[in-house]
Each structure stands twice: as structure tokens, then as C-alpha cells.
Amino acid sequence: MVVVTTIRREVLTLPAAPLGPDNPLPALRPLDEVHHIEERDRNDLPHDMARQVGYAPLHSLLPVRVRDGYGRAREPRRIDALVLENDRLRATVLPGLGGRVASLVHKPTGRELLYRNPVLQPANFALNGAWYSGGIEWNIGATGHTTLSCAPLHAARVPAPDGGQMLRLWEWERLRDLPFQVDLWLPDGSDFLHVGVRIRNPHERPAPTYWWSNIAVPEERRVLAPAEEAWHFGYERRLRRVPVPAYDGVDRTYPLNSTYAADYFYEVPDGRRRWIAALDEFGDGLVQTSTDVLRGRKLFVWGTGPGGRRWQQWLTEPGTGGYCEIQAGLARTQLEHVRLEAESEVAWLESYGPLDAPPPAGEWDTAVRQTEERLEAVLPRTDVEAAYAAWKPYADAEPGEILGTGSGWGALEVLRAGWKLPGTPFPESTLGEAQEPWRELLHSGSFPEPRRVRPPGESLVAPHWRDLLETAPAGPLTEYHLGVAQWHAGDRAQAVRSWERALEPAPSVWPLLRCLAVADQEAGHHERAADRYAEAFDDLCHEPRDDGEAWTAATAALGREAIEALLRAGRPADARSVWRRLHPATRERGRFRLLEAELLLAEGRRAEARAVFDEGFEVADLREGDERLGRLWDRIGGEELPQAYDFRMRPSSS
């Protein structure tokens, strides 16, 4: 009996920490991103790589909000999934969580081809915060994990080239203002999941483009790719060319041979087939290959040092196996962005499936050759190119049954510009509360002032929205959003003037004072910033309001920033005043326990600061590469940093 390809709904139940509310304060500070290199390394890069490393690096998260409201208390949670299945493979996709392929099972052998995380634990690895590990993720926007890591995508059935059906995922990526789609296609009888990807630039100007498909696999593997050199990037922020497989006398193609976390971007020669595989000692595992547009291949390892092990435990449950990542991207490295011309698109096809090659141990050249020969036998390069050619005409196919709904931001942009985007509709029905004031600005030329006092909504910062704000009547909320857009554009003096103009007529001044405080900090005026933060927090505490989620999030976010600013200005008494007015539940969160230890130390209460560490706490939103825990421990005068707080991802001498 022939088993046809099916797409069905399913519900997974996983121990999961809730995402919580987004941070309501606009992300005005420069992007806190660890993936950038020192200037001294740029002179040694190939010309095209150096050009793309310097092309439009991201400096701001705006208009995206930070997602830092999650914790670490996990409870069983029902998670909507879509299952794409034929008689050979079963792919489980999470449309509400970035479209992640959480599982890919080879049915004849029963093998899980990916690292499947048994929990859903958000952690601070995405550009905007919340991210989780495992499976195959689709990273678009800029260097780092996408801001859509924990966001819902649009999803629907669409016709497939073989007469069956595909699963389409699509959204509007807001950092670069570009729509994209991911089509998952599992032909009947195929051992390979085909994935067609398209990024479109509907604008009349070029746009920087970024894409990396990240595949988590068990780390007890050897990772193979057709390369003899790689670009090594560690948390020392140095990019250097190294030989493959051995570097510093150690074969780095075995993830467990590295002590510290590191990236290895493989230098795949032009004309060579693009592929990467992770195979166990018997030669079994996963292979990923693609058409040549997706040129880059990479291995990421956590390393065997205490920091890398701690991060692995942090992202899952104790006692579960570790993982590494094999990846594929548009450029050689993730430090680069590619120019996408005006009114154009870039598209490619990827294929994922099982591979049973000869055992990969032994000489590198032999292992690579045998693996590539086996790949060619089960999925010829010409078949991948043919699958791409067959898929491309279907990229414009209109969706059928809607299986998931993403955000309304794409609908707002389509409404504004009147774009026609076949295959990826963004209907007005998806517009929601966040987009409503912007739709009114678009239709009436006026930004609506709220009927009741509440935290300001999300700001838009693209030039066309800034132009509309500049010509709108100058109400307090209009000036607030205009200032955010001007700040994003680099016109900081004008942004400050906009915020200052709004202070007198504004019924609520704390959002404006907070923006002005950030501007003071960026200009080096830390005492004035502390004054404004203190005044902003006082205003927020006197705001007539309920105790809903939005207000709790605003109080926590502003309180944290205010305490940090006051401590920096050497004013622990004022910082303590803010601390006392935080919600008791907020003060119990790990991030605020860390802040309490800093406050106690500033008050000269060293033993009590040490006691905070001894009692134990977990900073749920600890940032990748953040060394604040270790630095504070050293200031307190502790002995060796306890393992529970050791998240160091580089040698201590770096």
C-alpha cells in the first residue's frame, strides 16, 4: 500500500517555562551582540568577506521588543505542532515557536536524526532575548538567532510539485523589513525533507540579507564537510583561518575535543557540492545539502569546559545528552550580510535526511570522500537541483487551509505600500491591537492618543513611518514615537527635542523620562541619567493603574534600569528606594537577586551580598557571553566561582 504524504495537527506536551510578557521599554541602546570581530583581523580577510562583514551590521533591535519575561519554572504545557509525514520520514514543526522543526524521525530505523530537546526552556540567545535549543531553526535578519525564535509564524497547506502538499511558513522580518517563506516538502517515498526558502525585497532600495539554518544534533558525532580550512571564531572575538580537521594539534571535527565554545565556518571551495553531515562512530547520522546559493557551512561546539557544560544543562534537563550545531548560510560566516537588490529575491532549496556512510574515523580526506560518495548515491546533486527547479514555480502558489497565524506587522506593511506578494498573503484580518494606532495614522494622518493611561505601544522606525509621524499633529504619544524613530535613524539631538517637547502636555511622563535617561547615559551624563531614572520610577509608581501584566512588566523593566543607573552614579540609597517599591514577586526573580547582591555590595554589606549567592539563584535571562556573575563574585571576594554560576565561554586570560 502506498502511504501518501500527509500534514496533520498534533499537540505536544512538554515541560515548559512560560514566555511571559515582552519588555515594554523600547530597545534604545546599541545591540548587545557578541558576534563581532576586532579591527585587526579584518585586514587578513578575503576581499569579498571583508566587504560583507562591514556591510550594514545591525546596531539596534528597533522596532522589535526584548523578550525577557520568561523564567525557569517548568510545568507541562500543550504545544501546537504540525506533522509532515510520508512512509519514510516524520517531521514535527512548531509554527507558534518560530517554525522550528523539533523532530525528524527516519521511520524504517526509528532513528531521531536531530537533537530533540525534552523541555522548552527559553534562554537569552536570540537577538531580542528568548530562544530555545534543539531541532532545525530558521535564522533571518542579522547576525545571531532570529527575533522570531519564540514567535508564531503564518502557516498553511500549499500544493507541492509532485501533486501532494507542502507546509508553508511565512512572516515579515522586522529588523530588515523583508518578507520570507519556508516551504517544507516531503515527496512520497523520499528519505529527504526538501525545504524551499525565499526572501523577497519589495522595496525600491537594496537591503542587507542574512540567513542561517541551524541544525542541532547529538554532540557524540564527527562533523564532516568538503573543506580543508575553516574560519575559527571564539568568544575572544578573534576570526582566524585554521586548518581542518586538526587545529592546535587537536581534531576539532569531533565536538567533544574542544574545551571552549567556538564556531568553525568551513571554507567550501567554489564549485564543490554544498553539504555537511554529523555521523556517529558507525557512519550513521544526518546530512544536510542544498543548492549552491546557500554557500556557507558551519560547526558550533559548546566545548567540554565548565561553562559550556553549564550552558548545556541550562538549556535542557540534567542527565540528557549534549548537542552541537551544524549550520548552512548565505555567506561564508555569520559575521557577514549579503546585499539583496531592490525589488528582487533570493531563493534556494535545502535537503535533510539520514545517511549511512562508512565509519568516519580515520584520515579526513578519505572520510570526506566516502561520505560525499554515499550522499551522491542516495541523493545526487542533480536531484537537488531538479527539486529546486520543480519547487520554484510553486513558491507563488496561494495557500489553502490556514494552519497557523503569525503577527499583523506584514499586513500593516502591505496595507501601507500596496505590495502584491504571491504565495505569502498578509491579510488585513491579521491586524491586531498593536497595529491599530499605526493603521489609523496611515488612514487619517494622526496618531491616536490613548483614552486611558497605559504603557505606550510598540514604535515603528522605518523611514516611511518616521515621515508620517513628522507630519502628524504633535501630540505627546506622537512625539514619543517620533523620538524613538529619530533615535533609530541616528538623529539623537532631534530625538531628545521630541521627547522634551512632549513632557509638559503628557499625562504620563515616565516613558519620556526613561528615553531621556538613556540618551543621557549614551552621552556620558550618568548623574543626570540617574536623576531622570529616579523621577521616571516615581512617576510610574504614582500612575493610576491596575496590576495587570503590562504594568508589572513596565515596573520591573524600569526599576531594573533605574537601580543600575543609580548604582553607577554612586547613589545606593536612592537605588534602595527603588528596590523597596518593586513587586515582591519581581524581587524574587533571579535577575533581581543578582541586582540585590550588587546593591548590598555597594552599601558595604559584603557578607549579605555573599549570602545571596550562598542561598542560590538563577538569572533566567543571563545573556550569552555575559560574565557579570563571575565579575561580581570576584568583587565580593569569593573563592573559586561555584559551578552553578559558571557560564564562562572563553579562557579566563582572554
Side-chain angles (χ1 to χ4, degrees):
M1 182 181 73
V2 176
V3 179
V4 297
T5 302
T6 60
I7 300 172
R8 70 176 188 275
R9 297 180 186 272
E10 193 170 282
V11 175
L12 306 181
T13 301
L14 294 177
L19 283 171
D22 289 353
N23 189 319
L25 307 182
L28 299 178
R29 292 185 175 84
L31 187 68
D32 177 22
E33 173 49 38
V34 299
H35 299 98
H36 63 265
I37 63 174
E38 297 186 9
E39 286 296 328
R40 57 180 167 165
D41 290 334
R42 294 197 182 193
N43 295 332
D44 298 327
L45 301 180
H47 179 70
D48 61 331
M49 184 190 295
R51 183 181 66 252
Q52 292 184 164
V53 165
Y55 175 52
L58 192 68
H59 297 295
S60 170
L61 273 177
L62 291 170
V64 175
R65 282 186 163 178
V66 173
R67 309 200 76 170
D68 60 1
Y70 52 88
R72 291 190 56 79
R74 297 193 288 263
E75 296 180 353
R77 174 183 163 196
R78 292 167 61 84
I79 299 170
D80 291 334
L82 298 171
V83 177
L84 182 66
E85 186 171 16
N86 67 1
D87 60 333
R88 309 290 296 175
L89 285 178
R90 181 171 63 250
T92 303
V93 181
L94 307 182
L97 291 163
R100 184 83 56 102
V101 180
S103 170
L104 185 63
V105 174
H106 184 232
K107 295 168 67 173
T109 61
R111 292 204 325 257
E112 172 61 69
L113 301 179
L114 306 173
Y115 168 76
R116 182 171 186 171
N117 197 334
V119 305
L120 177 62
Q121 177 56 63
N124 194 356
F125 279 77
L127 285 164
N128 63 330
W131 171 87
Y132 62 103
S133 65
I136 306 171
E137 57 176 307
W138 319 112
N139 289 296
I140 181 174
T143 299
H145 294 282
T146 176
T147 61
L148 296 166
S149 292
C150 292
L153 304 188
H154 300 282
R157 300 178 194 267
V158 293
D162 60 356
Q165 51 189 343
M166 295 188 294
L167 172 60
R168 174 163 299 160
L169 307 167
W170 73 99
E171 241 306 353
W172 197 279
E173 200 288 311
R174 300 178 67 202
L175 293 179
R176 301 303 196 182
D177 218 12
L178 302 175
F180 72 98
Q181 70 189 78
V182 177
D183 288 355
L184 295 100
W185 169 31
L186 192 55
D188 289 342
S190 174
D191 272 335
F192 284 85
L193 173 67
H194 294 320
V195 181
V197 182
R198 176 168 64 169
I199 305 171
R200 287 190 276 202
N201 178 12
H203 301 284
E204 296 179 349
R205 63 181 187 277
T209 309
Y210 174 94
W211 183 277
W212 281 81
S213 302
N214 290 12
I215 309 124
V217 293
E219 62 187 353
E220 298 86 0
R221 298 289 187 268
R222 190 180 198 189
V223 174
L224 300 108
E228 297 179 355
E229 292 182 313
W231 294 92
H232 170 269
F233 181 79
Y235 286 82
E236 311 92 323
R237 296 177 176 174
R238 299 295 309 279
L239 182 67
R240 62 194 73 167
R241 195 192 299 257
V242 300
V244 175
Y247 165 48
D248 278 351
V250 177
D251 188 337
R252 307 290 177 170
T253 62
Y254 291 91
L256 291 173
N257 282 354
S258 292
T259 304
Y260 294 99
D263 300 326
Y264 294 91
F265 299 101
Y266 294 114
E267 187 70 73
V268 179
D270 290 342
R272 193 74 183 265
R273 183 174 186 178
R274 265 53 182 164
W275 62 271
I276 190 167
L279 306 179
D280 64 18
E281 60 182 319
F282 305 108
D284 295 328
L286 173 83
V287 65
Q288 187 271 1
T289 187
S290 71
T291 49
D292 290 352
V293 167
L294 203 67
R295 66 169 298 180
R297 292 298 184 276
K298 171 194 161 183
L299 165 65
F300 167 75
V301 299
W302 282 107
T304 57
R309 293 299 93 188
R310 185 72 182 103
W311 274 116
Q312 294 253 34
Q313 297 166 6
W314 189 252
L315 295 169
T316 185
E317 289 183 331
T320 58
Y323 75 96
C324 63
E325 289 179 354
I326 58 174
Q327 306 181 13
L330 281 175
R332 278 191 180 97
T333 73
Q334 289 172 332
L335 306 171
E336 303 168 68
H337 298 95
V338 178
R339 180 184 173 102
L340 184 58
E341 297 298 337
E343 300 178 331
S344 69
E345 64 180 47
V346 60
W348 63 91
L349 186 114
E350 308 178 43
S351 298
Y352 297 81
L355 198 66
D356 55 342
E363 291 295 324
W364 176 250
D365 290 347
T366 300
V368 169
R369 176 179 54 79
Q370 291 178 335
T371 302
E372 191 164 25
E373 288 174 351
R374 182 58 183 155
L375 171 60
E376 185 66 19
V378 297
L379 184 65
R381 186 177 186 179
T382 54
D383 284 6
V384 176
E385 294 166 350
Y388 171 75
W391 164 74
K392 196 61 172 64
Y394 287 80
D396 283 347
E398 290 304 316
E401 180 189 1
I402 299 298
L403 300 172
T405 303
S407 77
W409 296 113
L412 185 67
E413 293 301 330
V414 169
L415 184 65
R416 179 195 64 81
W419 284 313
K420 304 299 181 184
L421 299 170
T424 55
F426 294 96
E428 284 194 53
S429 60
T430 61
L431 292 169
E433 183 180 0
Q435 294 83 39
E436 188 54 41
W438 298 95
R439 176 161 67 169
E440 185 168 333
L441 172 65
L442 188 63
H443 285 161
S444 71
S446 178
F447 198 91
E449 293 294 327
R451 293 184 175 86
R452 58 185 174 87
V453 174
R454 59 182 178 180
E458 297 188 53
S459 297
L460 295 181
V461 297
H464 42 266
W465 292 109
R466 188 173 72 246
D467 291 345
L468 286 171
L469 289 168
E470 287 176 343
T471 58
L477 192 55
T478 303
E479 294 280 24
Y480 165 83
H481 287 300
L482 176 58
V484 174
Q486 290 164 334
W487 180 271
H488 177 265
D491 192 351
R492 296 190 169 186
Q494 189 59 55
V496 168
R497 284 192 287 272
S498 294
W499 292 325
E500 288 177 338
R501 279 197 306 268
L503 279 174
E504 184 175 348
S508 179
V509 297
W510 65 264
L512 298 159
L513 288 170
R514 183 264 176 178
C515 290
L516 290 167
V518 173
D520 284 334
Q521 285 182 322
E522 292 297 306
H525 304 307
H526 297 293
E527 187 64 38
R528 190 166 67 192
D531 287 340
R532 279 178 160 156
Y533 266 122
E535 185 181 352
F537 194 76
D538 285 344
D539 182 69
L540 174 59
C541 289
H542 290 99
E543 197 86 84
R545 56 193 171 94
D546 57 33
D547 290 322
E549 185 178 74
W551 285 109
T552 301
T555 304
L558 184 60
R560 172 183 166 182
E561 290 188 11
I563 291 171
E564 290 172 342
L566 289 161
L567 288 178
R568 183 169 186 173
R571 294 161 56 177
D574 291 332
R576 177 61 67 181
S577 174
V578 173
W579 172 265
R580 292 193 186 101
R581 286 177 287 169
L582 293 172
H583 293 84
T586 297
R587 292 200 297 262
E588 291 302 312
R589 288 166 53 183
R591 171 61 66 180
F592 289 85
R593 293 284 284 157
L594 174 62
L595 196 55
E596 181 185 21
E598 292 181 300
L599 176 55
L600 288 165
L601 188 61
E603 293 170 329
R605 300 155 68 182
R606 187 179 303 272
E608 292 173 76
R610 168 63 187 263
V612 173
F613 277 83
D614 292 342
E615 291 167 10
F617 62 90
E618 293 183 320
V619 182
D621 62 330
L622 188 70
R623 184 69 172 163
E624 174 189 11
D626 189 341
E627 298 178 351
R628 187 170 174 178
L629 280 168
R631 289 197 301 267
L632 180 58
W633 177 260
D634 290 341
R635 287 171 55 206
I636 289 173
E639 56 279 359
E640 183 66 23
L641 182 66
Q643 182 180 357
Y645 303 116
D646 190 353
F647 293 87
R648 293 171 293 190
M649 299 174 74
R650 60 176 179 166
S652 58
S653 59
S654 300

